[in-house]
Amino acid sequence: MAASSSPLPSNPSTPQMLTKRTTLQQEEEKKQEQCKKEGEKGEEELGFDHGAPPPFRLSDVRSAIPKHCWVKNPWKSLSYVVRDLVVVAAFMAMAAWFDSWVVWPFYWFAQGTMFWALFVLGHDCGHGSFSDNPKLNSVVGHLLHSSILVPYHGWRISHRTHHQNHGHVENDESWHPLSEKIYKNLDDSTKKLRFTLPFPLLAYPIYLWSRSPGKSGSHFHPDSDLFAPNERKDIITSTAYWCAMAALLVGLSFVMGPIQVLKLYGVPYAIFVMWLDLVTYLHHHGHEDKLPWYRGQEWSYLRGGLTTLDRDYGWINNVHHDIGTHVIHHLFPQIPHY
């Protein structure tokens, strides 16, 4: 069959057209790169204002979060509790079995880290992110927090105050800047204990008893300034649980000996306190870039929540339930850690 002598139809993908299109793409990329450089140069010249109101609303952030992130699975939450308790029991059994000064330092760090993990799960109960069942949250929260000498409701309520007022100089509950007047009125021992390492890493038990400088009340007393009158029963319940745990430790000291209790529980407890204070500090303080604090109408829940920091703890992220994702936690503490 003879070939047709009619001309071929025009093809947009001819070499000439491809070359032209490539040239246009290159020019567009050059323009974009130039705009990017000019934008970076302008930002360097003007500086980034950390204290400026964010160009979005809290609802904008909420709408960007996938729906499955809000789902609380009590069985999944309980599985983390079982996992951690099994590890704690295994560590304790192994340390008691070997009872060697080669093993004890490793045990103290590992068990102190696991105590910290238990605290984070109890913290989730306090936020209601553990489950949608308030009774389940309360029971699990009391068992976990009381086991590491934390008054569940007392701390839950003060921590709620912290979340509701984060970034507010006067109203934030913990780790807020002190005014010059309060600082000058501190005695020398308090200044040293609060601002000289390693003492601030052991501040948590003192905070539970007497709060931060400039604030009054206690996490154990039902009439403290921290609590509303209708929360008295909750505080009494948590203090009773705390006292029961303290009594158990005293009883074990008579049975096992105080040195053994110190090695199995006391030193890991101190490591846990260090973890808590260190992580809390890192999440609420910048270094090269100082985080802003607000007063009066300058403060808002969104602006305060955005002045927290995410931190990456490497392989420990999974151990302490991803507490390092702290910015979104401050904005929406109801989201489960997983």
Side-chain angles (χ1 to χ4, degrees):
M1 184 176 179
S4 172
S5 60
S6 60
L8 292 172
S10 60
N11 189 339
S13 298
T14 58
Q16 293 86 354
M17 291 294 292
L18 287 174
T19 302
K20 185 176 181 181
R21 183 180 298 173
T22 302
T23 303
L24 290 173
Q25 288 177 343
Q26 290 175 345
E27 291 178 356
E28 184 64 26
E29 288 174 359
K30 287 181 180 179
K31 289 180 181 179
Q32 292 177 355
E33 186 67 25
Q34 183 66 26
C35 290
K36 183 178 179 181
K37 289 180 179 179
E38 290 177 358
E40 291 175 351
K41 182 179 178 181
E43 186 172 307
E44 290 176 1
E45 292 176 352
L46 297 174
F48 178 73
D49 185 2
H50 293 274
F56 50 84
R57 298 169 298 176
L58 187 65
S59 58
D60 296 327
V61 183
R62 176 185 285 273
S63 63
I65 300 173
K67 291 182 179 180
H68 72 268
C69 292
W70 300 90
V71 178
K72 306 166 193 175
N73 185 335
W75 294 109
K76 189 169 186 176
S77 297
L78 285 169
S79 71
Y80 285 105
V81 174
V82 173
R83 182 196 77 173
D84 287 2
L85 290 178
V86 168
V87 173
V88 166
F91 281 168
M92 195 169 291
M94 286 189 294
W97 174 266
F98 287 105
D99 195 13
S100 167
W101 287 106
V102 176
V103 175
W104 284 117
F106 294 100
Y107 166 76
W108 290 333
F109 175 78
Q111 192 71 301
T113 304
M114 290 309 302
F115 281 13
W116 163 234
L118 293 179
F119 175 88
V120 175
L121 290 177
H123 151 275
D124 290 354
C125 293
H127 280 300
S129 61
F130 189 85
S131 77
D132 286 319
N133 188 329
K135 290 184 178 180
L136 178 62
N137 293 337
S138 183
V139 170
V140 176
H142 270 103
L143 292 176
L144 293 176
H145 272 188
S146 299
S147 70
I148 49 177
L149 294 176
V150 176
Y152 172 70
H153 280 309
W155 183 84
R156 173 185 66 81
I157 293 168
S158 75
H159 189 63
R160 179 190 65 195
T161 302
H162 161 66
H163 267 258
Q164 291 175 344
N165 297 279
H166 183 264
H168 195 294
V169 175
E170 289 88 7
N171 298 338
D172 200 350
E173 174 58 28
S174 56
W175 292 106
H176 55 84
L178 297 182
S179 66
E180 184 179 14
K181 181 180 179 181
I182 293 176
Y183 178 78
K184 287 183 176 179
N185 288 330
L186 296 178
D187 57 74
D188 292 337
S189 61
T190 302
K191 288 180 181 178
K192 186 174 183 64
L193 290 173
R194 184 172 174 81
F195 299 108
T196 306
L197 287 174
F199 303 116
L201 293 177
L202 297 168
Y204 184 65
I206 301 172
Y207 164 71
L208 289 178
W209 283 102
S210 60
R211 298 177 73 188
S212 302
K215 298 182 182 295
S216 60
S218 169
H219 289 74
F220 299 92
H221 200 294
D223 295 325
S224 172
D225 296 342
L226 276 165
F227 315 121
N230 64 343
E231 294 169 332
R232 280 179 53 86
K233 290 183 179 180
D234 288 341
I235 306 309
I236 293 172
T237 301
S238 295
T239 301
Y241 271 83
W242 187 95
C243 291
M245 182 61 193
L248 176 62
L249 291 173
V250 172
L252 289 174
S253 297
F254 284 102
V255 175
M256 304 170 60
I259 299 301
Q260 189 73 347
V261 172
L262 178 66
K263 290 190 295 184
L264 286 172
Y265 185 91
V267 178
Y269 171 79
I271 299 296
F272 145 65
V273 169
M274 291 182 184
W275 263 116
L276 190 154
D277 284 323
L278 176 63
V279 170
T280 303
Y281 179 85
L282 290 175
H283 287 167
H284 300 90
H285 291 79
H287 295 280
E288 293 181 359
D289 291 328
K290 299 298 182 183
L291 298 177
W293 288 79
Y294 304 102
R295 287 186 176 91
Q297 294 182 350
E298 287 186 343
W299 180 88
S300 69
Y301 179 83
L302 176 60
R303 296 182 76 176
L306 292 175
T307 58
T308 61
L309 292 169
D310 286 350
R311 299 287 187 177
D312 186 357
Y313 301 95
W315 61 270
I316 295 178
N317 286 332
N318 181 261
V319 176
H320 66 184
H321 309 292
D322 296 300
I323 195 67
T325 54
H326 209 68
V327 178
I328 199 66
H329 167 69
H330 250 277
L331 295 178
F332 304 107
Q334 306 84 7
I335 296 178
H337 75 266
Y338 45 80

